[in-house]
Amino acid sequence: MEQRTSWRDRTVLDLGCGTGFHLPRFAEAAARVVGVEPHPALQRLAGRRTRRLPNVSVLLGTAQEVPLPDSSVDVVHARWAYFFGPGCEPGLAELERVVRRGGTALVIDNDGSRSTFGAWFRRGYPPPRPP
Ligand SMILES: C[S@@+](CC[C@H](N)C(=O)[O-])C[C@H]1O[C@@H](n2cnc3c(N)ncnc32)[C@H](O)[C@@H]1O
């Protein structure tokens, strides 16, 4: 991700942040980090994980309705967050709204067709759609 963009001294949005695993790492360099998570229990866990990090906040929300103002984010990180795929257009429209001009959206998904993780995934789920 660092080869694509820098988040140093910028505002990062982690969309679908889950338990907030990635938030502390972003917080080391970013000016501000906002986690958005629709599941209340996960949002609470993410808040607990980051409670001592003054530049991190964790909000309840979805990709389709991001609780942030227009043009307020420099870098979005959406890792294996389930709103992509068919029907994801409202989430993409929200990305366009909240990201400042020149910002970057990093959308990361797992490739279910290879790797150790892919083998586990294929055993448990129907064949994944091509990326
Ligand atoms: C596999 S977890 C990944 C969590 C986190 N991104 C990570 O990498 O640790 C998928 C996450 O996507 C969130 N999610 C599902 N639908 C979403 C939506 N419409 N908008 C935002 N997040 C969503 C889930 O609540 C869950 O926290």
Side-chain angles (χ1 to χ4, degrees):
M1 293 191 298
E2 285 170 333
Q3 290 172 0
R4 304 243 170 210
T5 193
S6 168
W7 48 90
R8 180 161 296 282
D9 301 328
R10 300 171 90 198
T11 298
V12 176
L13 164 62
D14 190 359
L15 203 46
C17 69
T19 63
F21 180 82
H22 303 283
L23 300 176
R25 177 93 186 266
F26 285 121
E28 288 171 12
R32 183 180 176 216
V33 180
V34 182
V36 167
E37 168 57 41
H39 195 290
L42 297 181
Q43 184 236 355
R44 278 195 298 277
L45 283 172
R48 196 181 307 164
R49 186 196 291 275
T50 56
R51 65 185 180 277
R52 293 197 178 86
L53 302 176
N55 58 341
V56 179
S57 50
V58 184
L59 308 176
L60 209 50
T62 65
Q64 298 88 326
E65 284 185 63
V66 178
L68 291 175
D70 297 357
S71 303
S72 57
V73 167
D74 301 297
V75 178
V76 178
H77 171 251
R79 181 181 295 264
W80 203 25
Y82 294 131
F83 62 93
F84 287 103
C88 70
E89 293 80 4
L92 295 178
E94 278 292 82
L95 286 190
E96 190 160 8
R97 181 182 70 77
V98 300
V99 176
R100 289 191 184 105
R101 188 180 290 267
T104 304
L106 300 160
V107 178
I108 298 137
D109 211 345
N110 287 303
D111 182 349
S113 70
R114 56 186 178 158
S115 80
T116 306
F117 177 85
W120 295 338
F121 199 84
R122 284 196 304 281
R123 254 186 267 147
Y125 293 94
R129 289 186 301 271

Tab-separated table of all heavy atoms in Angstrom, residues 29-54:
chain	number	residue	atom	x	y	z
A	29	ALA	N	1.387	6.995	11.686
A	29	ALA	CA	1.863	8.042	10.777
A	29	ALA	C	0.777	9.052	10.393
A	29	ALA	O	1.081	10.214	10.126
A	29	ALA	CB	2.418	7.403	9.499
A	30	ALA	N	-0.462	8.620	10.391
A	30	ALA	CA	-1.538	9.494	9.901
A	30	ALA	C	-1.835	10.604	10.909
A	30	ALA	O	-1.596	10.450	12.110
A	30	ALA	CB	-2.802	8.671	9.668
A	31	ALA	N	-2.378	11.700	10.409
A	31	ALA	CA	-2.819	12.763	11.308
A	31	ALA	C	-4.088	12.318	12.031
A	31	ALA	O	-4.259	12.551	13.236
A	31	ALA	CB	-3.101	14.037	10.503
A	32	ARG	N	-4.965	11.654	11.291
A	32	ARG	CA	-6.241	11.239	11.859
A	32	ARG	C	-6.657	9.931	11.192
A	32	ARG	O	-6.460	9.767	9.972
A	32	ARG	CB	-7.284	12.332	11.568
A	32	ARG	CG	-8.632	12.051	12.156
A	32	ARG	CD	-9.631	13.152	11.845
A	32	ARG	NE	-10.942	12.775	12.357
A	32	ARG	CZ	-12.094	13.048	11.767
A	32	ARG	NH1	-12.135	13.765	10.660
A	32	ARG	NH2	-13.236	12.640	12.295
A	33	VAL	N	-7.220	9.034	11.987
A	33	VAL	CA	-7.701	7.756	11.459
A	33	VAL	C	-9.140	7.577	11.924
A	33	VAL	O	-9.446	7.740	13.107
A	33	VAL	CB	-6.852	6.570	11.976
A	33	VAL	CG1	-7.371	5.256	11.413
A	33	VAL	CG2	-5.385	6.775	11.619
A	34	VAL	N	-10.016	7.258	10.978
A	34	VAL	CA	-11.415	7.002	11.317
A	34	VAL	C	-11.761	5.592	10.859
A	34	VAL	O	-11.607	5.260	9.676
A	34	VAL	CB	-12.362	8.006	10.625
A	34	VAL	CG1	-13.811	7.738	11.051
A	34	VAL	CG2	-11.963	9.440	10.945
A	35	GLY	N	-12.211	4.765	11.787
A	35	GLY	CA	-12.735	3.451	11.434
A	35	GLY	C	-14.246	3.561	11.342
A	35	GLY	O	-14.876	4.193	12.187
A	36	VAL	N	-14.821	2.959	10.309
A	36	VAL	CA	-16.278	2.895	10.185
A	36	VAL	C	-16.656	1.426	10.090
A	36	VAL	O	-16.074	0.673	9.301
A	36	VAL	CB	-16.773	3.688	8.952
A	36	VAL	CG1	-18.228	3.360	8.638
A	36	VAL	CG2	-16.617	5.184	9.195
A	37	GLU	N	-17.622	1.048	10.920
A	37	GLU	CA	-17.986	-0.370	11.014
A	37	GLU	C	-19.496	-0.478	11.304
A	37	GLU	O	-19.996	0.176	12.216
A	37	GLU	CB	-17.151	-1.013	12.143
A	37	GLU	CG	-17.587	-2.378	12.574
A	37	GLU	CD	-17.635	-3.410	11.453
A	37	GLU	OE1	-16.738	-3.444	10.589
A	37	GLU	OE2	-18.622	-4.165	11.429
A	38	PRO	N	-20.235	-1.292	10.525
A	38	PRO	CA	-21.682	-1.383	10.734
A	38	PRO	C	-22.111	-2.269	11.900
A	38	PRO	O	-23.230	-2.153	12.394
A	38	PRO	CB	-22.196	-1.989	9.414
A	38	PRO	CG	-21.037	-2.692	8.814
A	38	PRO	CD	-19.799	-2.013	9.329
A	39	HIS	N	-21.248	-3.160	12.334
A	39	HIS	CA	-21.650	-4.127	13.351
A	39	HIS	C	-21.306	-3.546	14.724
A	39	HIS	O	-20.119	-3.352	15.038
A	39	HIS	CB	-20.881	-5.423	13.104
A	39	HIS	CG	-21.421	-6.604	13.832
A	39	HIS	ND1	-21.326	-6.739	15.194
A	39	HIS	CD2	-22.058	-7.702	13.397
A	39	HIS	CE1	-21.891	-7.869	15.561
A	39	HIS	NE2	-22.336	-8.477	14.497
A	40	PRO	N	-22.331	-3.255	15.569
A	40	PRO	CA	-22.049	-2.553	16.825
A	40	PRO	C	-21.024	-3.252	17.722
A	40	PRO	O	-20.179	-2.587	18.318
A	40	PRO	CB	-23.416	-2.478	17.515
A	40	PRO	CG	-24.412	-2.580	16.408
A	40	PRO	CD	-23.773	-3.467	15.364
A	41	ALA	N	-21.076	-4.574	17.800
A	41	ALA	CA	-20.135	-5.269	18.691
A	41	ALA	C	-18.702	-5.089	18.184
A	41	ALA	O	-17.767	-4.912	18.970
A	41	ALA	CB	-20.493	-6.750	18.787
A	42	LEU	N	-18.530	-5.129	16.870
A	42	LEU	CA	-17.183	-4.957	16.313
A	42	LEU	C	-16.722	-3.512	16.472
A	42	LEU	O	-15.545	-3.249	16.759
A	42	LEU	CB	-17.165	-5.368	14.832
A	42	LEU	CG	-17.478	-6.843	14.550
A	42	LEU	CD1	-17.399	-7.124	13.055
A	42	LEU	CD2	-16.524	-7.756	15.310
A	43	GLN	N	-17.661	-2.587	16.295
A	43	GLN	CA	-17.299	-1.170	16.479
A	43	GLN	C	-16.809	-0.936	17.905
A	43	GLN	O	-15.810	-0.241	18.127
A	43	GLN	CB	-18.506	-0.273	16.174
A	43	GLN	CG	-18.192	1.200	16.258
A	43	GLN	CD	-19.094	1.952	17.225
A	43	GLN	OE1	-20.029	1.386	17.788
A	43	GLN	NE2	-18.820	3.212	17.405
A	44	ARG	N	-17.477	-1.549	18.882
A	44	ARG	CA	-17.047	-1.389	20.276
A	44	ARG	C	-15.649	-1.975	20.487
A	44	ARG	O	-14.797	-1.387	21.147
A	44	ARG	CB	-18.048	-2.067	21.219
A	44	ARG	CG	-19.270	-1.208	21.516
A	44	ARG	CD	-20.047	-1.741	22.719
A	44	ARG	NE	-20.582	-3.087	22.504
A	44	ARG	CZ	-21.718	-3.358	21.859
A	44	ARG	NH1	-22.455	-2.399	21.363
A	44	ARG	NH2	-22.130	-4.605	21.718
A	45	LEU	N	-15.411	-3.151	19.909
A	45	LEU	CA	-14.083	-3.769	20.052
A	45	LEU	C	-12.999	-2.891	19.424
A	45	LEU	O	-11.911	-2.725	19.983
A	45	LEU	CB	-14.073	-5.151	19.390
A	45	LEU	CG	-14.750	-6.274	20.168
A	45	LEU	CD1	-14.841	-7.532	19.314
A	45	LEU	CD2	-13.995	-6.564	21.463
A	46	ALA	N	-13.303	-2.327	18.264
A	46	ALA	CA	-12.325	-1.450	17.600
A	46	ALA	C	-12.061	-0.216	18.456
A	46	ALA	O	-10.924	0.254	18.566
A	46	ALA	CB	-12.822	-1.066	16.210
A	47	GLY	N	-13.127	0.311	19.071
A	47	GLY	CA	-12.970	1.471	19.945
A	47	GLY	C	-12.112	1.126	21.150
A	47	GLY	O	-11.247	1.915	21.570
A	48	ARG	N	-12.321	-0.082	21.688
A	48	ARG	CA	-11.528	-0.498	22.859
A	48	ARG	C	-10.056	-0.661	22.465
A	48	ARG	O	-9.152	-0.233	23.168
A	48	ARG	CB	-12.085	-1.814	23.391
A	48	ARG	CG	-11.597	-2.127	24.792
A	48	ARG	CD	-12.118	-3.445	25.308
A	48	ARG	NE	-13.563	-3.576	25.216
A	48	ARG	CZ	-14.208	-4.732	25.322
A	48	ARG	NH1	-13.540	-5.854	25.505
A	48	ARG	NH2	-15.510	-4.783	25.248
A	49	ARG	N	-9.829	-1.240	21.288
A	49	ARG	CA	-8.454	-1.473	20.836
A	49	ARG	C	-7.678	-0.162	20.697
A	49	ARG	O	-6.474	-0.110	20.923
A	49	ARG	CB	-8.475	-2.185	19.479
A	49	ARG	CG	-7.114	-2.610	18.981
A	49	ARG	CD	-7.175	-2.945	17.503
A	49	ARG	NE	-7.920	-4.140	17.187
A	49	ARG	CZ	-7.420	-5.375	17.209
A	49	ARG	NH1	-6.176	-5.575	17.545
A	49	ARG	NH2	-8.170	-6.414	16.870
A	50	THR	N	-8.399	0.904	20.340
A	50	THR	CA	-7.717	2.161	19.998
A	50	THR	C	-7.945	3.255	21.039
A	50	THR	O	-7.661	4.423	20.774
A	50	THR	CB	-8.198	2.654	18.612
A	50	THR	OG1	-9.626	2.783	18.650
A	50	THR	CG2	-7.804	1.688	17.514
A	51	ARG	N	-8.452	2.874	22.225
A	51	ARG	CA	-8.878	3.904	23.187
A	51	ARG	C	-7.736	4.812	23.642
A	51	ARG	O	-7.959	5.933	24.055
A	51	ARG	CB	-9.608	3.287	24.371
A	51	ARG	CG	-8.768	2.389	25.252
A	51	ARG	CD	-9.634	1.734	26.339
A	51	ARG	NE	-8.868	0.875	27.201
A	51	ARG	CZ	-8.549	-0.394	26.934
A	51	ARG	NH1	-8.935	-0.950	25.803
A	51	ARG	NH2	-7.848	-1.112	27.788
A	52	ARG	N	-6.507	4.342	23.552
A	52	ARG	CA	-5.375	5.182	23.990
A	52	ARG	C	-4.733	5.933	22.833
A	52	ARG	O	-3.696	6.564	22.997
A	52	ARG	CB	-4.323	4.327	24.691
A	52	ARG	CG	-4.837	3.777	26.012
A	52	ARG	CD	-3.729	3.274	26.931
A	52	ARG	NE	-4.326	2.808	28.169
A	52	ARG	CZ	-4.811	1.577	28.343
A	52	ARG	NH1	-4.734	0.700	27.365
A	52	ARG	NH2	-5.360	1.219	29.489
A	53	LEU	N	-5.327	5.864	21.669
A	53	LEU	CA	-4.755	6.542	20.495
A	53	LEU	C	-5.600	7.775	20.193
A	53	LEU	O	-6.719	7.658	19.681
A	53	LEU	CB	-4.733	5.583	19.287
A	53	LEU	CG	-3.948	4.285	19.507
A	53	LEU	CD1	-4.070	3.361	18.301
A	53	LEU	CD2	-2.480	4.593	19.800
A	54	PRO	N	-5.083	8.971	20.523
A	54	PRO	CA	-5.912	10.173	20.440
A	54	PRO	C	-6.302	10.564	19.019
A	54	PRO	O	-7.258	11.316	18.832
A	54	PRO	CB	-5.027	11.260	21.073
A	54	PRO	CG	-3.634	10.715	21.057
A	54	PRO	CD	-3.737	9.229	21.054
